């Protein structure tokens, strides 16, 4: 199989020329420069106090240039890797070809009706939402559609995926929900008629109504819901701006969605160590989700996750409790993407995730003002970490491909710390989710803050797959415990050289005594 990243001569690694020994992973103490969330943030739904000097694609050129320079300085200070240590031209000369953008996240709304206490958009290091207009205008939507169509045509993309995001995208009226998707489909049909456009909306579920579901279904837009579990006790941090719980409204919306299985994309759930894993999993099944995304909380070496202690693997323990229940169920009650992606990577199959493996990043975010950003999970690292200084009016998505922040996330193995490159699990782990590698003043070239958890999780699943492969096949028609059917995603390439399925089962590696904890909110 071909590698997902075309590699030529390995790039130099001036910041870590040799593998870092495992003890280095035990040094995640918060830096004095670590970003902290603002404690007096204004409620998300309120408009910003003023337009700011560079809000919107039509702002004055001078202030925008000044802001871009300030952002470059900020990137260099917080993240020398990649912003001062990656030579993109040298990477291209070494054989690393850019990979086109395939997923476009449209921030149709920049405000939210909830105030989840762990949200990376509003409660973490980056407060850029304050300068964003509350909603994407028709002019910005039209420009986004044109740029996406232009990119699809230039690269003969078989498919592009749209994600309507926020904030809370369902703050738009039902009649307006499909407008961005309709605009992109029309533009793509004209410029790249062979390209198929898929669309999903990611919502907190509280605003789902029959009218909205009807409008979304008519437009072929599937619905994903973020929830922290299927019981009120699991969702105490998902509250509105008055501190009132949002679970009842979300549960009502999910019950409506379950009646429209053709529109139901699944549920995203952030791992919470304070909640029982089996109870969380079983309670989510009550909403009949076709898939469940179990997300590690967004955290890094400067802002470690709850429960982070050297020598412990609390997140692996939590996830493995769910895995054992899911794997040994007589029938598959839902898909769990994290587990299926690990199994696919162990078997050398193609995957689409950026949180594991070496698949190149292929996502761009379009903010409500028309600015082009990297994945907004980076907002958990530092102020402006996702910023590129590019806008729909001034830059194409091809130009984004040479931005150091995105280029680094397309380098595969060459973007990783020395210890990661030397690890036998690298083709499966891939260094972990990019934001989890961050440390203030160093950047994104460390092992994941969840390194030990990931190693334990991958080895345990590898052993389970090995045992299943050695078990005699049941008679035709009998249920197969742990059976999965992860199809290869369209438009992706396989990563070869994956770790053998013979990896030991329960033995945590020596480095497991070094890192772990939480990772992503939605």
């Amino acid at each position: 199989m071909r590698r997902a990243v075309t590699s030529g001569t390995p790039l130099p690694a001036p910041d870590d020329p040799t593998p870092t020994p495992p003890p280095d992973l035990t040094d995640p103490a918060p830096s004095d420069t670590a970003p902290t969330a603002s404690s007096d943030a204004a409620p998300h739904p309120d408009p910003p106090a003023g337009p700011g000097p560079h809000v919107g694609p039509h702002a004055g050129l001078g202030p925008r240039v000044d802001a871009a320079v300030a952002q470059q300085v900020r990137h260099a200070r917080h993240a020398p890797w990649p912003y001062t240590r990656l030579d993109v031209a040298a990477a291209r000369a070494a054989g690393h070809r850019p990979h086109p953008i395939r997923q476009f996240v449209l921030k149709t709304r920049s405000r939210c009706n909830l105030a989840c206490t762990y949200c990376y958009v509003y409660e973490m290091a980056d407060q850029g939402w304050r300068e964003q207009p509350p909603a994407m205008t028709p002019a910005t939507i039209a420009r986004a559609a044109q740029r996406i169509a232009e990119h699809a045509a230039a690269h003969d993309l078989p498919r592009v995926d749209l994600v309507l995001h926020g904030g809370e995208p369902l703050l738009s009226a039902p009649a307006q929900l499909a407008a961005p998707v309709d605009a992109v489909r029309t533009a793509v049909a004209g410029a790249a008629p062979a390209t198929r456009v898929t669309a999903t909306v990611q919502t907190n579920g509280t605003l789902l109504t029959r009218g909205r579901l009807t409008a979304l279904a008519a437009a072929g837009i599937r619905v994903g819901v973020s929830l922290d579990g299927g019981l009120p006790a699991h969702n105490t941090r998902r509250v509105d701006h008055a501190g009132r719980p949002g679970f009842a409204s979300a549960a009502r919306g999910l019950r409506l969605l379950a009646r429209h299985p053709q529109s139901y994309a699944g549920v995203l759930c952030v791992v919470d160590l304070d909640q029982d894993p089996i109870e969380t999993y079983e309670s989510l099944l009550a909403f009949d989700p076709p898939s469940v995304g179990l997300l590690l909380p967004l955290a890094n070496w400067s802002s470690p996750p709850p429960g982070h202690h050297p020598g412990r693997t609390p997140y692996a323990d939590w996830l493995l409790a769910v895995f054992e229940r899911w794997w040994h169920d007589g029938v598959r009650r839902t898909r769990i993407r994290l587990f299926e992606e690990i199994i696919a990577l162990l078997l050398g199959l193609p995957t689409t995730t950026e949180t594991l493996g070496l698949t190149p990043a292929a996502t761009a975010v379009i903010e409500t003002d028309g600015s082009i950003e990297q994945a907004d999970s980076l907002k958990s690292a530092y102020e402006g970490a996702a910023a590129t200084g590019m806008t729909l009016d001034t830059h194409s998505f091809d130009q984004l491909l040479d931005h150091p922040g995105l280029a680094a996330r397309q380098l595969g193995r060459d973007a990783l710390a020395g210890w990661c490159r030397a690890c036998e699990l690298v083709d499966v782990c891939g260094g972990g989710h990019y934001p989890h590698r961050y440390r203030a003043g160093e950047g994104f070239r460390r092992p994941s803050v969840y390194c030990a958890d990931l190693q334990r999780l991958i080895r345990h699943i590898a052993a389970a797959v090995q045992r299943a492969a050695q078990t005699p096949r049941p008679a035709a028609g009998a249920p197969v415990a742990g059976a999965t059917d992860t199809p290869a995603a369209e438009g992706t390439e396989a990563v070869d050289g994956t770790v053998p399925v013979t990896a030991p089962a329960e033995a945590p590696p020596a480095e497991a005594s070094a890192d772990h904890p939480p990772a992503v909110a939605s």
Side-chain angles (χ1 to χ4, degrees):
M1 296 181 179
R2 292 180 296 165
R3 285 199 181 278
V5 176
T6 303
S7 292
T9 305
L11 297 178
D15 51 334
D16 58 344
T18 58
T20 305
D24 179 63
L25 300 181
T26 64
D27 184 28
S31 163
D32 290 340
T33 60
T36 57
S38 172
S39 60
D40 58 348
H44 317 159
D46 293 349
H54 62 282
V55 171
H58 304 294
L61 182 61
R64 181 174 286 282
V65 171
D66 291 342
V69 171
Q71 186 57 59
Q72 291 174 0
V73 172
R74 188 179 295 117
H75 279 318
R77 181 174 73 250
H78 288 284
W81 173 263
Y83 290 102
T84 65
R85 295 177 182 168
L86 173 61
D87 185 332
V88 176
R92 299 290 180 248
H96 285 283
R97 301 273 70 82
H99 289 253
I101 304 300
R102 299 175 184 275
Q103 183 183 73
F104 299 88
V105 178
L106 304 179
K107 294 282 188 173
T108 57
R109 307 286 299 206
S110 65
R111 306 300 192 264
C112 188
N113 62 319
L114 292 186
C116 304
T117 60
Y118 59 83
C119 182
Y120 62 77
V121 175
Y122 304 111
E123 303 300 334
M124 289 193 177
D126 191 312
Q127 291 292 298
W129 65 272
R130 295 172 179 276
E131 297 184 349
Q132 290 293 331
M136 189 176 283
T137 65
T140 300
I141 290 171
R143 190 64 171 139
Q146 178 186 6
R147 287 295 195 188
I148 293 169
E150 167 187 287
H151 194 70
H155 297 278
D156 294 322
L157 297 181
R159 189 183 85 191
V160 297
D161 301 322
L162 304 180
V163 180
L164 306 183
H165 210 274
E168 173 48 57
L170 295 192
L171 285 170
S172 298
Q176 300 170 343
L177 288 174
V181 176
D182 291 341
V184 172
R185 284 180 173 147
T186 299
V188 168
T195 302
R196 184 162 62 94
V197 178
T198 72
T200 306
V201 61
Q202 190 64 34
T203 172
N204 59 40
T206 60
L207 300 177
L208 281 172
T209 61
R210 289 184 178 86
R212 286 188 170 91
L213 282 171
T214 298
L216 292 167
I221 302 172
R222 302 180 72 213
V223 182
V225 177
S226 301
L227 200 67
D228 293 341
L231 298 175
H234 300 150
N235 293 272
T236 57
R237 293 182 293 178
R238 299 184 72 82
V239 297
D240 67 14
H241 296 278
R244 295 169 300 204
F247 176 75
S249 296
R252 182 169 54 250
L254 271 165
R255 286 191 289 269
L256 279 174
L257 180 58
R259 299 174 193 166
H260 298 79
Q262 74 283 358
S263 298
Y264 200 170
V267 173
L268 293 181
C269 176
V270 178
V271 172
D272 184 350
L273 296 182
D274 291 336
Q275 304 299 333
D276 179 83
I278 303 301
E279 180 185 69
T280 300
Y281 169 60
E282 296 284 354
S283 64
L284 286 172
L285 292 177
F287 294 111
D288 297 320
S291 70
V292 173
L294 296 176
L295 308 176
L296 292 169
L298 276 171
N300 56 59
W301 292 105
S302 292
S303 298
H308 183 278
H309 296 291
R312 301 180 188 174
T313 57
Y315 289 88
D317 296 343
W318 198 100
L319 288 166
L320 286 174
V322 178
F323 173 78
E324 286 297 306
R325 176 62 62 90
W326 174 79
W327 181 252
H328 294 291
D329 228 335
V331 294
R332 191 183 67 177
R333 300 161 71 188
T334 190
R335 302 179 62 177
I336 299 184
R337 183 177 181 185
L338 174 63
F339 302 153
E340 292 189 346
E341 293 283 5
I342 289 174
I343 292 168
L345 287 162
L346 286 165
L347 299 176
L349 298 175
T351 65
T352 57
T353 182
E354 292 181 18
T355 59
L356 292 167
L358 298 171
T359 300
T363 297
V365 176
I366 303 171
E367 286 285 357
T368 53
D369 69 348
S371 56
I372 299 172
E373 294 198 343
Q374 303 174 70
D376 61 351
S377 55
L378 292 172
K379 295 178 185 291
S380 61
Y382 59 90
E383 180 74 35
T388 65
M390 301 180 182
T391 73
L392 294 171
D393 279 350
T394 58
H395 294 81
S396 69
F397 288 111
D398 271 15
Q399 289 172 288
L400 175 65
L401 298 179
D402 284 330
H403 185 275
L406 183 63
R409 293 165 55 229
Q410 293 195 341
L411 293 179
R413 192 186 304 259
D414 283 342
L416 304 181
W419 175 249
C420 292
R421 294 195 299 272
C423 179
E424 66 177 347
L425 302 178
V426 64
D427 289 294
V428 180
C429 171
H433 195 27
Y434 192 76
H436 299 165
R437 308 174 199 171
Y438 175 72
R439 185 170 184 175
E442 295 180 18
F444 298 91
R445 209 172 197 182
R446 288 178 63 86
S448 168
V449 73
Y450 294 99
C451 177
D453 291 278
L454 291 172
Q455 292 200 42
R456 175 166 161 73
L457 180 65
I458 292 167
R459 292 178 187 276
H460 183 101
I461 292 176
V465 173
Q466 164 107 13
R467 289 192 296 269
Q470 295 173 343
T471 301
R473 294 175 64 85
V480 180
T484 62
D485 58 349
T486 308
E490 263 186 71
T492 61
E493 296 180 84
V495 178
D496 60 4
T498 52
V499 66
V501 185
T502 54
E506 291 295 331
E511 353 21 304
S513 62
D515 358 23
H516 356 28
V520 177
S522 293

